[in-house]
Amino acid sequence: MNCSHEAVELMHKYLDHDLTKEEEGRLRVHLEDCEACQKHFHELERTIKLVQNTEQITAPADFKKSVMQKLPAEKKNVKYLR
Amino acid sequence: MDLITREKIKQVKRGDQSAFEDIVSFYQNKIYQHCYRMLGNRHEAEDIGQETFIRAYVNIHSFDDKRKFSTWLYRIATNLTIDRIRKRKPDYYLDAEIRGTDGLDMYSQLATDHRLPEEEVQGMELQDYINQQISGLPPKYRSVIILRYLEEFSLQEISDILDIPLGTVKTRIHRGREALRKKLRHV
């Protein structure tokens, strides 16, 4: 198997849950034999974990209030303007 | 929440502004975070996040009740952030605070380009470094990575949000993961 193309392509398909049984088998066999691809695969999985573990950010305290103040007037006011 | 959201949207469509307040309450942190990750600074995130809700309110009648509301809302937010990124003047980039760097701007970034990633990471918290690497991705890769791994949308939902084919979502997510892998493998 060509590491830089086929194997890496299969790794990404694996991460997207897109592998067929046959492809999964081929990837597994290749990973057992190829240290460089094992490393690449672990780096990809770790990258995803690092991204997922970043902290959650919350909106500023007055966010909702500011939105509500900026909304156009309710319908009854539109009628009044007419 | 989905049933409650549906009911609230019906009320908003009938002209009930207070029902919209509940929708803002429920989605404000998600949308603010999305804008923050896309734009990389708090001021713009607040501005574009608020604009997202105002657009949603004004255009609520064009929302098809059979669709998922969150997908529709994220689509508005993502389009607005990408418009904002496109409209930035070149000097804006240099003065803008990069998220997670606590005041560092592009000028200091330029200076750090020559350093090895290991040395760079030592100078700041790991979290900040990761955030900075996400913010540093080109917008088309950044948006799919954020939607997939921070907002946990499916690939099909991302295709709906960004209005691009599923195959394009896959290509972008592959490239985004590879770009981040190269930046994060040393940490």
Side-chain angles (χ1 to χ4, degrees):
Chain A
M1 189 181 300
N2 178 321
C3 297
S4 61
H5 290 103
E6 197 182 354
V8 171
E9 188 61 29
L10 290 181
M11 288 178 208
H12 283 285
K13 284 179 84 174
Y14 171 84
L15 294 171
D16 292 336
H17 312 292
D18 252 356
L19 279 186
T20 64
K21 277 266 173 277
E22 188 268 330
E23 287 172 326
E24 197 178 332
R26 275 200 293 147
L27 179 62
R28 190 179 300 128
V29 168
H30 180 74
L31 286 178
E32 280 167 13
D33 281 346
C34 179
E35 252 182 63
C37 280
Q38 264 178 44
K39 186 166 175 280
H40 193 121
F41 189 59
H42 287 308
E43 284 172 1
L44 279 172
E45 291 197 306
R46 187 164 168 274
T47 296
I48 293 168
K49 285 206 183 81
L50 287 171
V51 171
Q52 285 174 326
N53 287 339
T54 52
E55 68 200 312
Q56 297 286 304
I57 297 157
T58 51
D62 59 350
F63 184 92
K64 183 171 73 179
K65 199 175 150 210
S66 305
V67 170
M68 295 312 290
Q69 280 170 351
K70 287 178 190 164
L71 292 185
E74 284 190 59
K75 285 219 169 79
K76 54 180 184 272
N77 297 333
V78 176
K79 274 179 195 159
Y80 173 77
L81 286 173
R82 281 175 197 159
Chain B
M1 187 60 206
D2 222 36
L3 268 178
I4 303 170
T5 305
R6 269 170 215 286
E7 193 47 47
K8 293 288 172 197
I9 290 163
K10 275 186 200 163
Q11 291 167 9
V12 177
K13 283 185 174 178
R14 288 196 293 260
D16 179 357
Q17 249 188 24
S18 68
F20 192 71
E21 195 164 349
D22 297 333
I23 290 177
V24 180
S25 285
F26 186 71
Y27 288 103
Q28 59 177 349
N29 288 332
K30 294 167 195 276
I31 292 297
Y32 177 79
Q33 166 160 272
H34 182 67
C35 295
Y36 191 14
R37 302 256 185 216
M38 283 299 293
L39 294 163
N41 82 74
R42 291 182 188 278
H43 178 75
E44 282 190 310
E46 193 169 351
D47 188 18
I48 298 298
Q50 288 181 7
E51 182 67 19
T52 299
F53 285 105
I54 293 163
R55 295 272 179 110
Y57 181 79
V58 171
N59 295 300
I60 196 75
H61 291 283
S62 73
F63 170 68
D64 176 357
D65 297 333
K66 290 187 236 27
R67 293 190 56 198
K68 210 174 154 186
F69 182 71
S70 63
T71 311
W72 188 72
L73 194 61
Y74 272 90
R75 185 170 180 166
I76 298 173
T78 307
N79 287 341
L80 286 172
T81 57
I82 288 172
D83 280 352
R84 173 60 64 96
I85 292 166
R86 283 195 192 122
K87 279 179 197 154
R88 280 175 180 166
K89 293 187 177 79
D91 63 334
Y92 181 87
Y93 280 104
L94 294 169
D95 291 328
E97 183 193 331
I98 296 166
R99 85 152 251 102
T101 54
D102 200 21
L104 280 180
D105 58 20
M106 271 307 276
Y107 287 114
S108 49
Q109 274 300 104
L110 294 174
T112 64
D113 271 357
H114 306 288
R115 294 198 301 176
L116 292 168
E118 296 97 304
E119 296 173 55
E120 223 174 292
V121 179
Q122 283 170 3
M124 67 175 86
E125 294 291 328
L126 180 60
Q127 285 268 326
D128 291 342
Y129 181 76
I130 296 165
N131 286 331
Q132 193 185 308
Q133 296 311 318
I134 297 170
S135 296
L137 288 173
K140 64 180 180 180
Y141 301 142
R142 196 187 316 162
S143 56
V144 291
I145 291 288
I146 293 170
L147 291 166
R148 182 74 190 99
Y149 292 115
L150 293 162
E151 329 289 353
E152 296 181 336
F153 283 106
S154 70
L155 296 178
Q156 184 56 56
E157 285 170 332
I158 296 171
S159 159
D160 293 341
I161 291 169
L162 299 176
D163 198 21
I164 55 176
L166 188 57
T168 309
V169 174
K170 288 179 184 175
T171 307
R172 288 185 186 179
I173 208 159
H174 293 193
R175 291 187 185 154
R177 279 193 297 242
E178 282 299 332
L180 278 179
R181 180 187 70 86
K182 286 173 188 150
K183 289 163 188 279
L184 298 179
R185 67 181 163 190
H186 301 286
V187 303

